[in-house]
């Protein structure tokens, strides 16, 4: 029997902060396994729903041989259960994007410690968006965290401004009215005038909107050399979205930022760590050849969608994550996203889609999509 | 048996040429009585029921690969679909839709005049004046040429669509869904092989769908559009079709089952429960949910048992056994990653609900083959293949309250053992959008003359001319 792991949560948070602050340090399998089992032991003890789920699968701390055996909750579980594993009240509750079915249909991720989230998010963000360790205006096409406290993305961008932002940083969107195009235009014009490189960040939807606005104004920008862009949510193959190659080409034309300086972020409300394309430090010309890199404290596996057994490296599968930053909720999560895990990182293939294979039966996914 | 040449060297030019050729072939249809067309079509359709016929043999070879169904399911689907492609069934369809099929051939005196109806008199006693409409003649007329766009992987949908179009004497250009090519192409090949002139009035082609110039041009050049597909596809086609062109939309639908306690072995007061009724109901439910691997709009995803929770739980247990038997006899075919992912999410969620002590129970087959969930919470989402979510409902009002939001998508309701409640349930569900009520075992294959999504299958494809003498 494996010894009961240490479940002193305060000490674990301290250990994690030290790990987060050294994003360049690799964590070997043995160390990760120990950390993961400690995390599991804490969550098993602190979260009754998760404990019962694990027990129903015959898994509990001390009997789990290695971290891969720790039961994954389905991502949809965040819609139906309180998966909080912290003490007292959560510091925040992040919500997934909504549907017309109301708040009950949203996933809710309770956050034990915003400080821990800040550490996890900032370090890996910096390594991939600001590897040159400069301060620069960080221009965000999302609402600010105060006006949208339920958004993990707004919070993350707020951390980025705090850590890397120079004068001119800010949020250029509102929860109700969307992107504040005139203000954004003014900010970009100022950057061009002052010759100040900027970091611009937004969702693929926001960028599509911005491109259309620039077309309507018949304006484009030549942002100073050294500028870079982060785009998120654009990898999913929804038909409403512009294909990625097209989006990046149009962004380059509109903003004057070369495509090699555009970075895709993969994140989800249910995970407090993010994955990035390391293109600012390891340039890749071909968009389709890009991969995402996970921080050392997050492990990703590709699972056979039929059996949930791991597939060999290089084979596509459903993605399952173990995120140590999720200490205050549940670390092991099974998603509906598909990818290929390999030596060079994670190649994201998008949301597993069944709509194209279905007949005239309504796919619930589509119903939800229609309702958005 | 070879498939027709479906290559398209220059899609826009080629398709425009085909549309014009089809338009020219309309006389082939107009010159024949509708009943004769039914006979010609039926003689080809019946071949798919003949075990030794090359058309059926090739269909059964191709469907598993194209539609991702098992061989046994392909055979079930061909049997179910072709049952309605016989001469008898097609002639019955004509009568069901028009009363007098000659309405498709020429003007026919209206069978009952409005004036006579108002006064409650028999037609032959009504004064034949213009004021009463006594000399009113009607004619149902098809179109110059129609475009039918299929979708998905339910085999037989587009062949049925072709038959409907030809019955109303409209030449048709059809683009089957990726999983529906075999039966469509083979039906047309059968027409060609039979040397019937009808073959000139149908073409099967493929082109890049979506908002492409090719499709834009097509939508503007035909006289009616029939589209099967997602809500998004339906909306896109409707928005791109000229306002003067009728569009018949068969968008996505969802079907359910509603079961009374009599069907699960709870006898009404003073009566004895029928032997084996629970297993029989479960078998019918499993059959309805498994057919087409649950990809049909007629496939139930959720079942309610009116009455106490114990009844629903018993049915769920029995249905799990029946799903396993279905899987053994008619295995599930290939599932997409998305379908598999949905099954895994649903099962994980159900497991958590079960572990949380909320009363949920989960049964599952190997891999993602089948899943049954007893769900007293009402929170388990449906939409995964060969998956049934079963719950109890105190009364029909509770079911209506749950389904009200699905109204625009609600289609078939499979029923069993509702007894005296049946009429009330049917009325209540009709009011929120359901358009078909049938026995569980009849759900997968509605008869040819069913009101498809609430409209007559042939009447949706014609215009009416009236001539008052």
């Amino acid at each position: 029997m494996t010894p009961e792991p240490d479940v002193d949560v305060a000490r674990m948070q301290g250990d994690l902060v030290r790990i987060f602050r050294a994003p360049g340090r690799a964590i070997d399998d043995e160390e990760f396994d120990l950390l993961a089992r400690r995390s599991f032991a804490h969550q098993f003890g602190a979260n009754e729903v998760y404990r019962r789920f694990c027990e129903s699968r015959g898994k509990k701390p001390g009997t789990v041989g290695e971290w891969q055996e720790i039961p994954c909750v389905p991502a949809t579980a965040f819609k139906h259960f309180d998966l909080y594993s912290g003490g007292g009240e959560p510091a925040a509750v992040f919500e997934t994007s909504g549907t017309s079915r109301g708040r009950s249909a949203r996933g809710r991720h309770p956050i034990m410690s915003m400080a821990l989230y800040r550490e996890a998010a900032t370090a890996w963000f910096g390594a991939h968006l600001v590897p040159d360790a400069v301060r620069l205006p960080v221009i965000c096409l999302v609402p600010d965290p105060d006006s949208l406290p339920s958004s993990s993305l707004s919070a993350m961008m707020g951390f980025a401004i705090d850590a890397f932002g120079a004068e001119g940083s800010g949020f250029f969107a509102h929860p109700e009215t969307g992107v504040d195009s005139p203000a954004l235009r003014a900010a970009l014009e100022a950057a061009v005038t002052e010759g100040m490189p900027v970091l611009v960040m937004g969702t693929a939807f926001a960028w599509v909107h911005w491109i259309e606005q620039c077309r309507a104004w018949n304006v484009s920008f030549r942002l100073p050399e050294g500028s870079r862009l982060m785009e998120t949510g654009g990898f999913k193959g929804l038909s409403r979205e512009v294909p990625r190659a097209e989006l990046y080409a149009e962004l380059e034309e509109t903003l004057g930022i070369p495509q090699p300086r555009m970075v895709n972020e993969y994140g989800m409300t249910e995970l407090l760590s993010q994955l990035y394309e390391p293109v600012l430090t390891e340039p890749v010309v071909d968009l389709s050849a890009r991969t995402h890199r996970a921080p050392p404290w997050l492990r990703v596996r590709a699972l056979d969608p039929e059996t949930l057994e791991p597939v060999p490296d290089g084979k596509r599968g459903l993605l399952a994550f173990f995120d140590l930053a999720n200490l205050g909720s549940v670390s092991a999560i099974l998603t509906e996203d598909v990818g290929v895990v390999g030596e060079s990182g994670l190649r994201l293939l998008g949301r597993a889609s069944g709509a194209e294979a279905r007949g005239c039966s309504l796919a619930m996914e589509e119903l939800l999509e229609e309702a958005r | 048996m070879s498939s027709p040449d479906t290559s398209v060297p220059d899609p826009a030019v080629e398709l425009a040429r085909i549309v014009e050729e089809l338009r020219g072939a309309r006389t082939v249809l107009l010159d024949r009585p509708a009943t004769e067309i039914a006979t010609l079509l039926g003689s080809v359709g019946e071949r798919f029921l003949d075990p030794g016929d090359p058309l059926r043999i090739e269909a059964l070879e191709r469907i598993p690969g194209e539609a991702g169904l098992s061989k046994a399911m392909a055979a079930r689907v061909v049997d179910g679909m072709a049952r309605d492609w016989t001469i008898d069934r097609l002639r019955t369809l004509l009568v069901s839709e028009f009363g007098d099929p000659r309405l498709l051939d020429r003007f026919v005196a209206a069978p009952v005049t409005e004036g006579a109806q108002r006064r409650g008199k028999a037609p032959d006693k009504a004064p034949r004046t213009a004021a009463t409409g006594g000399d009113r003649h009607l004619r149902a007329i098809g179109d110059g040429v129609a475009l039918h766009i299929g979708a998905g992987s339910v085999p037989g949908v587009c062949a049925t669509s072709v038959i409907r179009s030809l019955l109303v004497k409209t030449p048709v250009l059809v683009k089957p869904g990726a999983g529906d090519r075999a039966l469509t192409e083979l039906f047309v090949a059968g027409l060609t092989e039979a040397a019937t002139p009808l073959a000139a009035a149908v073409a099967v082609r493929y082109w890049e769908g979506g908002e492409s110039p090719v499709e834009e041009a097509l939508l503007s050049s035909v006289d009616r559009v029939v589209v099967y597909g997602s809500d998004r596809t339906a909306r896109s086609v409707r928005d791109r079709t000229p306002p003067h062109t009728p569009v018949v939309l068969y968008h996505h639908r969802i079907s359910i089952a509603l079961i009374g306690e009599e069907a699960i072995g709870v006898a009404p007061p003073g009566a004895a429960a029928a032997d084996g009724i629970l297993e029989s109901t479960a078998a019918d439910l499993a059959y309805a949910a498994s057919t087409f691997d649950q990809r049909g709009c007629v496939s139930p995803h959720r079942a309610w048992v009116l009455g106490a929770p114990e009844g629903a739980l018993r049915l769920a247990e029995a249905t799990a056994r029946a799903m396993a038997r279905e899987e053994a006899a008619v295995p599930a075919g290939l599932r997409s990653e998305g379908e598999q992912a949905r099954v895994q999410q649903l099962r994980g969620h159900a497991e958590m609900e079960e572990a949380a002590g909320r009363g949920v129970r989960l049964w599952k087959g190997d891999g993602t083959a089948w899943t049954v969930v007893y769900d007293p919470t009402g929170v388990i989402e449906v939409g995964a293949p060969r998956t049934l979510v079963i719950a109890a409902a105190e009364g029909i009002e509770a079911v209506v309250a749950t389904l009200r939001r699905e109204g625009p998508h609600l289609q078939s309701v499979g029923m069993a053992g509702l007894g005296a409640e049946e009429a009330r349930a049917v009325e209540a569900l009709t009011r929120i959008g359901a358009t078909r009520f049938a026995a569980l075992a009849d759900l997968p294959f509605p008869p040819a003359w069913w009101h498809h999504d609430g409209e007559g299958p042939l009447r949706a494809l014609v215009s009416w001319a009236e001539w008052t003498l």
Side-chain angles (χ1 to χ4, degrees):
Chain A
M1 180 169 295
T2 314
E4 290 281 344
D6 172 17
V7 291
D8 182 332
V9 69
R11 188 156 65 195
M12 287 173 64
Q13 288 191 68
D15 292 346
L16 288 175
V17 167
R18 279 189 289 280
I19 288 170
F20 297 161
R21 287 181 178 175
R25 186 179 79 83
I27 298 179
D28 65 22
D29 290 347
E30 191 178 346
E31 184 182 0
F32 188 87
D33 187 62
L34 181 61
L35 289 163
R37 287 191 295 110
R38 284 173 65 192
S39 171
F40 175 50
H42 162 66
Q43 291 162 0
F44 187 92
N47 189 317
E48 185 183 353
V49 169
Y50 186 51
R51 178 172 67 248
R52 287 189 177 200
F53 173 60
C54 295
E55 285 173 338
S56 74
R57 290 191 170 186
K59 302 291 182 187
K60 57 183 181 181
T63 65
V64 169
E66 52 187 5
W67 70 268
Q68 291 92 336
E69 295 174 22
I70 296 169
C72 287
V73 300
T76 51
F78 283 84
K79 287 198 286 187
H80 304 285
F81 296 97
D82 178 1
L83 293 176
Y84 186 51
S85 301
E89 289 297 307
V93 177
F94 294 138
E95 294 183 350
T96 56
S97 55
T99 73
S100 66
R101 290 179 181 235
R103 295 175 72 88
S104 63
R106 296 183 183 185
R108 290 164 54 82
H109 188 176
I111 306 305
M112 177 176 69
S113 164
M114 286 297 277
L116 197 65
Y117 179 33
R118 178 187 292 272
E119 294 282 356
T122 304
W124 202 239
F125 176 92
H128 292 86
L129 271 304
V130 202
D132 42 357
V134 296
R135 276 203 172 262
L136 71 179
V138 177
I139 293 171
C140 306
L141 278 68
V142 298
D144 70 81
D146 289 337
S147 61
L148 197 58
S150 62
S151 167
S152 59
L153 185 61
S154 287
M156 191 199 82
M157 291 192 184
F159 301 152
I161 288 178
D162 293 345
F164 308 104
E167 188 180 341
S169 297
F171 295 88
F172 294 82
H174 186 272
E176 271 79 44
T177 54
V179 174
D180 183 349
S181 298
L184 177 59
R185 177 178 178 172
L188 296 180
E189 285 172 347
V192 172
T193 303
E194 295 166 16
M196 172 72 84
V198 293
L199 164 57
V200 288
M201 304 197 286
T203 63
F205 281 118
W207 285 125
V208 169
H209 170 87
W210 173 246
I211 289 166
E212 287 171 358
Q213 181 61 68
C214 287
R215 278 207 194 108
W217 283 335
N218 195 26
V219 299
S220 61
F221 304 85
R222 287 290 164 267
L223 290 170
E225 190 177 339
S227 295
R228 72 258 355 226
L229 177 147
M230 191 196 90
E231 166 262 334
T232 185
F235 76 93
K236 289 173 184 169
L238 298 176
S239 61
R240 269 186 212 170
E241 293 181 4
V242 177
R244 190 179 179 197
E246 193 179 317
L247 174 64
Y248 277 30
E250 289 178 354
L251 280 170
E252 181 169 342
E253 190 179 318
T254 305
L255 297 173
I257 297 177
Q259 292 187 43
R261 297 189 67 77
M262 297 179 188
V263 177
N264 178 264
E265 180 247 18
Y266 171 84
M268 51 195 289
T269 304
E270 296 86 347
L271 293 176
L272 293 188
S273 298
Q274 298 77 37
L275 296 86
Y276 296 94
E277 295 170 333
V279 291
L280 294 190
T281 51
E282 301 167 30
V284 177
V285 174
D286 184 359
L287 269 183
S288 63
R290 290 187 177 195
T291 57
H292 287 72
R293 192 154 298 166
W297 54 87
L298 180 142
R299 292 281 170 104
V300 55
R301 294 182 297 153
L303 307 180
D304 183 326
E306 184 72 4
T307 63
L308 297 187
E309 291 297 317
V311 300
D313 275 6
K315 299 286 185 189
R316 60 188 288 152
L318 286 182
L319 299 180
F321 294 95
F322 197 100
D323 187 1
L324 293 173
N326 271 26
L327 180 65
S329 53
V330 174
S331 291
I333 296 170
L334 174 67
T335 73
E336 292 181 84
D337 291 336
V338 176
V340 176
V341 177
E343 280 187 10
S344 62
L346 169 65
R347 189 155 63 87
L348 284 165
L349 301 173
R351 173 63 58 92
S353 170
E356 81 286 350
R358 296 186 68 78
C360 42
S361 170
L362 179 70
M364 191 53 58
E365 180 183 87
E366 185 190 53
L367 178 61
L368 295 174
E369 181 61 25
E370 287 292 322
R372 280 185 182 123
Chain B
M1 182 75 53
S2 61
S3 302
D5 175 16
T6 57
S7 60
V8 182
D10 181 344
V13 174
E14 178 71 359
L15 291 172
R17 182 186 63 75
I18 289 167
V19 166
E20 286 315 302
E21 283 181 3
L22 289 171
R23 199 178 290 282
R26 189 184 186 194
T27 52
V28 166
L29 302 171
L30 292 175
D31 290 348
R32 282 173 172 70
T35 50
E36 183 186 326
I37 293 174
T39 301
L40 292 169
L41 293 170
S43 63
V44 173
E46 286 170 359
R47 294 183 56 189
F48 289 89
L49 294 173
D50 177 355
D53 192 288
L55 279 182
R56 178 182 170 92
I57 290 169
E58 186 173 341
L60 294 183
E61 284 172 359
R62 287 178 57 185
I63 288 172
E66 290 182 6
L69 298 177
S70 66
K71 287 183 179 178
M73 183 58 75
R76 178 187 284 181
V77 170
V78 171
D79 285 342
M81 288 291 188
R83 179 194 69 173
D84 279 322
W85 299 344
T86 65
I87 295 170
D88 278 354
R89 299 284 276 197
L90 295 182
R91 288 190 162 207
T92 305
L93 168 61
L94 285 172
V95 173
S96 171
E97 285 287 88
F98 298 105
D100 183 348
R102 291 174 304 170
L103 279 160
L104 287 162
D105 304 332
R106 57 179 172 77
F107 279 91
V108 175
V112 179
T113 68
E114 292 169 3
Q117 279 183 323
R118 276 198 298 273
R119 288 185 299 277
K121 293 180 179 177
D124 58 344
K125 301 276 179 66
R128 299 179 65 79
T129 67
T132 63
D135 291 330
R136 184 171 176 247
H137 287 60
L138 296 174
R139 167 88 157 94
I141 187 79
D143 304 294
V145 64
L147 170 64
H148 290 206
I149 300 174
S153 51
V154 176
V157 169
C158 278
T160 298
S161 204
V162 165
I163 289 170
R164 290 175 178 176
S165 190
L166 295 180
L167 280 175
V168 300
K169 306 187 182 186
T170 300
V172 58
L173 170 60
V174 59
K175 177 190 174 191
D180 188 19
R181 295 171 66 145
L183 283 174
T184 314
E185 291 173 2
L186 290 168
F187 191 91
V188 175
L191 290 176
T192 305
E193 208 173 85
T196 154
L198 301 190
V202 55
V204 185
R205 290 294 186 276
Y206 307 94
W207 58 90
E208 188 180 347
E211 295 175 9
S212 66
V214 171
E215 198 159 287
E216 304 285 338
L218 266 181
L219 292 170
S220 297
S221 67
V222 298
D223 305 309
R224 187 178 299 264
V225 178
V226 177
V227 59
Y228 304 80
S230 66
D231 288 8
R232 195 180 300 150
T233 301
R235 181 192 299 141
S236 166
V237 169
R238 185 180 59 193
D239 290 350
R240 288 179 292 135
T241 304
H244 54 78
T245 304
V247 180
V248 181
L249 301 175
Y250 295 111
H251 59 76
H252 274 168
R253 297 284 177 171
I254 195 163
S255 294
I256 63 152
L258 189 63
I259 294 159
E261 289 188 317
E262 285 178 34
I264 57 169
V266 178
D275 286 344
I277 188 71
L278 173 67
E279 295 297 330
S280 171
T281 301
D284 288 348
L285 183 56
Y287 165 80
S290 300
T291 301
F292 307 115
D293 286 354
Q294 217 176 14
R295 293 185 180 120
C297 50
V298 291
S299 308
H301 290 258
R302 202 181 277 280
W304 279 274
V305 179
L306 298 186
E310 294 75 22
L313 181 58
R314 287 180 61 218
L315 180 66
E317 288 169 340
T319 303
R321 294 191 291 273
M323 292 290 272
R325 288 195 297 272
E326 270 287 313
E327 172 65 15
V330 187
L334 295 175
R335 290 169 288 279
S336 71
E337 277 176 342
E339 290 173 319
Q340 292 169 313
R342 265 199 295 279
V343 171
Q344 301 292 6
Q345 291 288 320
L346 178 145
R347 285 181 177 178
H349 177 203
E351 270 188 79
M352 292 188 72
E353 296 282 354
E354 193 172 19
R358 296 182 184 173
V360 168
R361 291 279 308 278
L362 169 70
W363 298 264
K364 59 189 180 185
D366 292 339
T368 58
W370 60 267
T371 308
V372 173
V373 179
Y374 167 67
D375 176 25
T377 66
V379 299
I380 302 292
E381 290 179 0
V382 298
R386 287 209 185 193
T387 294
L388 269 168
V389 177
I390 299 173
E394 284 184 6
I396 185 61
E397 291 76 15
V399 178
V400 167
T402 304
L403 286 173
R404 195 179 298 281
R405 191 183 175 283
E406 317 288 356
H409 294 104
L410 189 58
Q411 188 210 66
S412 296
V413 180
M415 301 185 299
L418 291 170
E421 275 290 277
E422 183 167 316
R424 207 167 69 83
V426 167
E427 178 64 20
L429 290 168
T430 299
R431 291 183 184 189
I432 61 165
T435 53
R436 176 175 171 244
F437 301 87
L440 286 174
D442 293 335
L443 270 189
F445 299 107
W449 44 88
W450 77 304
H451 280 190
H452 191 165
D453 291 353
E455 276 195 282
L458 303 184
R459 294 172 77 95
L461 304 179
V462 299
S463 303
W464 289 90
E466 59 179 79
W467 180 12
T468 305
L469 296 174

